[in-house]
Amino acid sequence: MTNLEKAFNRIDEYIKLRMKEDDTPGIGLALTDRDRTLRVSGYGYANLDAQTPVTGDTLFEIASIGKSFVSFSLLKEFEDGRLDLHKPASEYLPWFEVQSKYEPITVHHLLSATAGITIGVDTGPHGLHEAWNLRHQVAAWPPGSTFYTSNVGYKVLGFLLENVAGKSLQKIIQSYILDPLEMSSTHAVITQDSWRDMAIGYRPFYDDRPPHHSYPRRPIPWHEYGAGDGPVASTPKDMAKYVRMILNRGRGPT
């Protein structure tokens, strides 16, 4: 048995243990180095009712990992000379406004989650209302001084990116990242078509008491999503390609 096989076996043991402890329905895993995918594994089920097993081709909502797709796309605009990261965000998105006695919020502040924005409620699938509503909020501290994770800050960045590039976020992610990396199974935004092939998320049936393994599960409510804080759905196989690009400092397939 090779060292990699020993490592794979230990990973399998650990995942199965954690799935049992956390009552996790299914997990997809891809392992890669800088050169190639080393292993793709599926554990459990993508759909409990249909007993559909998780595989390397199972589509998952990747949530906040999608923020990095927006970040890389903005950095491409920077490299191409269309965006200055240290200019006020309002120069690229004129309607963006936050009440503040401090210096203007820059694109870099939003990217680094140091803009002083502490609110955000994920009120709708598009996010435009929430981003617009920031004009009624007050900056909590000087931009650049404190880190505070902000989903709505990345929703603003998604709209800003569309303004700079002159096309939709879906087309930007598709042309800037998915096509060059040959991520053919990844959805740049989550639509009704995504739902057909996507793993179902579950939560405990009861929401008025602490979770327990003995309680039944229910599917998590689902909706289309295309805002900048988490628009992407992908597969383990495709995400291995994405990770390789990061490991290789931006270099894609050759």
Side-chain angles (χ1 to χ4, degrees):
M1 182 181 294
T2 67
N3 287 334
L4 279 181
E5 288 174 331
K6 292 179 181 178
F8 294 157
N9 288 338
R10 293 295 298 273
I11 291 170
D12 288 343
E13 292 172 2
Y14 176 75
I15 288 178
K16 291 173 183 177
L17 175 64
R18 288 308 304 264
M19 287 180 67
K20 183 177 180 180
E21 291 178 346
D22 299 336
D23 202 24
T24 302
I27 290 176
L29 176 67
L31 302 174
T32 185
D33 60 16
R34 287 185 173 87
D35 300 315
R36 68 192 188 285
T37 299
L38 302 174
R39 190 189 193 218
V40 180
S41 306
Y43 310 83
Y45 298 101
N47 184 319
L48 291 174
D49 291 335
Q51 294 286 283
T52 306
V54 173
T55 71
D57 296 309
T58 299
L59 194 66
F60 289 89
E61 295 181 76
I62 63 172
S64 284
I65 297 173
K67 290 182 172 72
S68 65
F69 286 70
V70 172
S71 298
F72 282 128
S73 298
L74 284 163
L75 291 176
K76 184 180 186 306
E77 295 297 329
F78 164 72
E79 290 181 344
D80 291 345
R82 293 185 289 269
L83 178 67
D84 186 335
L85 300 178
H86 297 288
K87 281 190 175 181
S90 59
E91 290 196 19
Y92 300 102
L93 193 65
W95 55 260
F96 169 65
E97 181 182 346
V98 176
Q99 295 183 38
S100 176
K101 62 182 179 180
Y102 307 115
E103 65 186 89
I105 294 171
T106 67
V107 178
H108 185 269
H109 292 143
L110 291 168
L111 276 168
S112 57
T114 60
I117 298 172
T118 60
I119 62 101
V121 293
D122 293 332
T123 53
H126 191 266
L128 188 57
H129 173 271
E130 187 183 359
W132 175 269
N133 197 50
L134 286 174
R135 64 189 55 247
H136 302 300
Q137 308 303 320
V138 178
W141 44 69
S145 64
T146 303
F147 174 85
Y148 190 95
T149 299
S150 173
N151 281 344
V152 68
Y154 265 81
K155 291 175 185 178
V156 170
L157 286 172
F159 300 130
L160 185 151
L161 176 60
E162 290 180 327
N163 261 18
V164 172
K167 49 189 172 183
S168 70
L169 186 60
Q170 180 176 12
K171 290 181 178 178
I172 292 166
I173 292 175
Q174 188 70 47
S175 60
Y176 288 11
I177 299 175
L178 304 187
D179 289 344
L181 296 182
E182 300 174 0
M183 295 174 66
S184 58
S185 297
T186 298
H187 295 214
V189 298
I190 298 170
T191 68
Q192 294 287 343
D193 286 335
S194 310
W195 177 243
R196 293 181 305 179
D197 306 313
M198 194 180 297
I200 295 176
Y202 294 90
R203 64 173 51 160
F205 184 84
Y206 302 105
D207 60 5
D208 60 349
R209 64 201 73 177
H212 191 273
H213 291 333
S214 65
Y215 298 156
R217 301 184 186 94
R218 58 184 170 120
I220 293 175
W222 175 90
H223 56 251
E224 292 186 319
Y225 203 80
D229 60 327
V232 179
S234 190
T235 67
K237 286 182 179 178
D238 267 9
M239 287 305 294
K241 299 175 183 178
Y242 187 66
V243 171
R244 276 199 296 279
M245 178 272 290
I246 296 172
L247 292 173
N248 286 304
R249 297 180 177 272
R251 180 172 57 83
T254 56

